[in-house]
Amino acid sequence: MKIKSLFSVATIMLTALSLASCNNRKFHVDGEITNAKDSTLYFENMSLNGPVVVDSVKLGEDGSFSFSEKAPEAPDFYRLRIAGQIINVSIDSTETVNIKAAYPRMASKYEVTGSVNCCKIKTLALMQQGLQKQIDDIIKSPTLGVEAVEANIAQTLETYKNKVKLNYIFKEPMKAYAYFALFQTVIIGNQQTLIFNPRNNREDNKVYAAVATSWDTYYPKAERGLNLHNIALQGMKDARILQAEQQQAQIDASKVKVSGIIDIALRDNRGNLRRLSDLTGKVVMLDFHVFAGENSTKRIMMLRDLYNKYHAQGFEIYQVSIDPDEHFWKTQTAALPWISVHDDAGTDSQVLSQYNVQRIPTFFLIGKDNSVKMRDVQVKDIDAAIKSLL
């Protein structure tokens, strides 16, 4: 009996020690970031609700740092940040990730060891930076028109996505770097947008679904896996809605002038029907706007300045509001000197589809011949662009 009792006690103690060991499992992220003395290095968890500061340290002369946290049950994501310079890190278990970099270019030039996933994420981050440069170069090209810019950007994005899908996502969809690739973004016209967008692209949505299914197998009930499923399901729904809207929004040939412009005929804040095509002979800014938007007042002040400077020379603004509250729009535009019209369809507007408006605000510059000359993503200096058309 005594031997059995001792054996039972020993078993219980071993079990307790094992559980304690599991509860104390930790991962470590350490290294050096030089040229950053007295800078604060933040270690942040990239939660589904955004970055959360986990720890921080004021760097010394040698730039050494060391962070340690409880190991996650499923892959999780963190980042090291000094001001706007960011290094992304994925954590699978109790690994130790070592990072060496030099400020202020730590985001593009750093060394990482101890994690294959982190090495892959570094490669993806550098690829994304290269993609952003390609897009910026296309936008800045003086030889490309509006349609050519859009076509070149679309092709560049498609080439990038095919490469990432083949070599990273579909190759090992259960890996943290595959998940990371889904949420990479680029900036087009001052607007940050997902490279893989499940909300308006069926093929992109299939990529999300593939990773979600794989995470279900390897990390059942993981919060990120469940989130991927929700995104994929919502994307399927949105894609069906978008397809239906596009079928209903086929361009009416009678609205297309010989110059190529798609006419718009909407009522202004006084109830008068105003046609975009009636402004032939003027340089026009076609502006899509939401007055209830956060930065509306600042933008209106900018437009008023442009209008005051160039209206006497033949410049006009044709502003399309998609505000849901028509009364609010009327009160906001009562004192504006330019043409302000309202589209009752709001974000479901056929005009938005016809002009391929992906974000609000967006503007186009139209020449005196009533043809589109450039859109906002191509305009580096708005004053110079307007003067060149007057």
Side-chain angles (χ1 to χ4, degrees), residues 102-133:
Y103 190 75
R105 301 188 64 188
M106 57 185 262
S108 58
K109 290 189 176 182
Y110 67 93
E111 297 177 7
V112 57
T113 57
S115 168
V116 173
N117 271 303
C118 288
C119 291
K120 297 279 190 180
I121 285 175
K122 174 188 174 182
T123 301
L124 285 165
L126 295 178
M127 287 171 58
Q128 182 272 335
Q129 291 169 26
L131 173 65
Q132 184 66 65
K133 185 179 184 307

Side-chain angles (χ1 to χ4, degrees), residues 138-321:
I138 292 171
I139 291 172
K140 294 174 184 175
S141 174
T143 61
L144 297 177
V146 176
E147 293 183 359
V149 166
E150 291 183 353
N152 275 267
I153 289 177
Q155 182 58 52
T156 300
L157 285 171
E158 194 62 26
T159 299
Y160 180 90
K161 290 197 291 186
N162 287 336
K163 181 178 180 179
V164 171
K165 283 191 290 187
L166 178 64
N167 297 322
Y168 295 90
I169 298 177
F170 289 151
K171 188 175 182 179
E172 293 183 301
M174 78 294 294
K175 296 293 187 179
Y177 67 80
Y179 182 102
F180 175 84
L182 293 179
F183 296 97
Q184 286 190 293
T185 62
V186 288
I187 297 174
I188 303 176
N190 297 320
Q191 183 73 26
Q192 192 173 42
T193 182
L194 283 168
I195 296 172
F196 290 95
N197 192 338
R199 298 199 64 180
N200 58 21
N201 188 306
R202 286 181 180 272
E203 293 304 312
D204 288 356
N205 193 55
K206 291 178 182 178
V207 179
Y208 275 78
V211 177
T213 300
S214 185
W215 275 52
D216 273 351
T217 302
Y218 286 86
Y219 319 108
K221 297 184 179 180
E223 186 180 18
R224 291 186 184 276
L226 294 173
N227 184 57
L228 283 179
H229 263 299
N230 292 334
I231 291 173
L233 290 172
Q234 185 61 46
M236 292 172 63
K237 178 182 177 181
D238 291 342
R240 287 194 294 267
I241 293 173
L242 182 62
Q243 183 180 32
E245 290 175 349
Q246 289 174 339
Q247 290 173 347
Q248 294 173 1
Q250 296 299 315
I251 298 174
D252 184 349
S254 66
K255 292 184 177 181
V256 181
K257 301 292 182 180
V258 175
S259 62
I261 194 173
I262 301 170
D263 200 10
I264 301 174
L266 293 169
R267 297 195 179 277
D268 65 16
N269 48 13
R270 295 175 179 80
N272 301 314
L273 186 67
R274 307 300 295 267
R275 294 184 180 277
L276 181 61
S277 57
D278 289 341
L279 300 176
T280 301
K282 294 179 179 291
V283 172
V284 180
M285 174 184 280
L286 170 58
D287 185 65
F288 293 92
H289 190 77
V290 174
F291 285 87
E294 182 179 355
N295 296 313
S296 174
T297 301
K298 181 178 178 181
R299 181 175 175 81
I300 292 301
M301 290 175 65
M302 182 271 289
L303 294 182
R304 186 181 288 275
D305 180 58
L306 293 174
Y307 188 87
N308 291 339
K309 284 193 288 187
Y310 302 116
H311 179 64
Q313 302 175 46
F315 175 70
E316 186 58 81
I317 297 175
Y318 187 99
Q319 189 169 53
V320 180
S321 162

Side-chain angles (χ1 to χ4, degrees), residues 358-377:
Q358 301 294 324
R359 59 192 178 277
I360 300 293
T362 286
F363 73 82
F364 297 80
L365 288 181
I366 299 172
K368 294 180 180 180
D369 60 351
N370 218 6
S371 63
V372 175
K373 300 300 183 184
M374 60 189 82
R375 66 184 300 159
D376 52 3
V377 294

Side-chain angles (χ1 to χ4, degrees), residues 38-89:
D38 295 329
S39 296
T40 300
L41 174 66
Y42 293 95
F43 185 56
E44 299 172 329
N45 175 245
M46 298 305 295
S47 75
L48 294 178
N49 296 317
V52 177
V53 176
V54 176
D55 202 350
S56 64
V57 63
K58 187 174 182 179
L59 296 176
E61 186 71 40
D62 63 355
S64 63
F65 65 90
S66 180
F67 298 114
S68 180
E69 293 294 328
K70 182 180 178 182
E73 295 182 2
D76 207 353
F77 297 86
Y78 295 81
R79 71 182 189 183
L80 297 169
R81 179 178 64 84
I82 299 178
Q85 289 288 302
I86 292 169
I87 296 175
N88 291 291
V89 178

Side-chain angles (χ1 to χ4, degrees), residues 11-26:
T11 302
I12 292 170
M13 289 179 67
L14 285 172
T15 301
L17 286 170
S18 176
L19 288 173
S21 176
C22 289
N23 290 335
N24 291 326
R25 291 169 62 247
K26 294 191 174 224

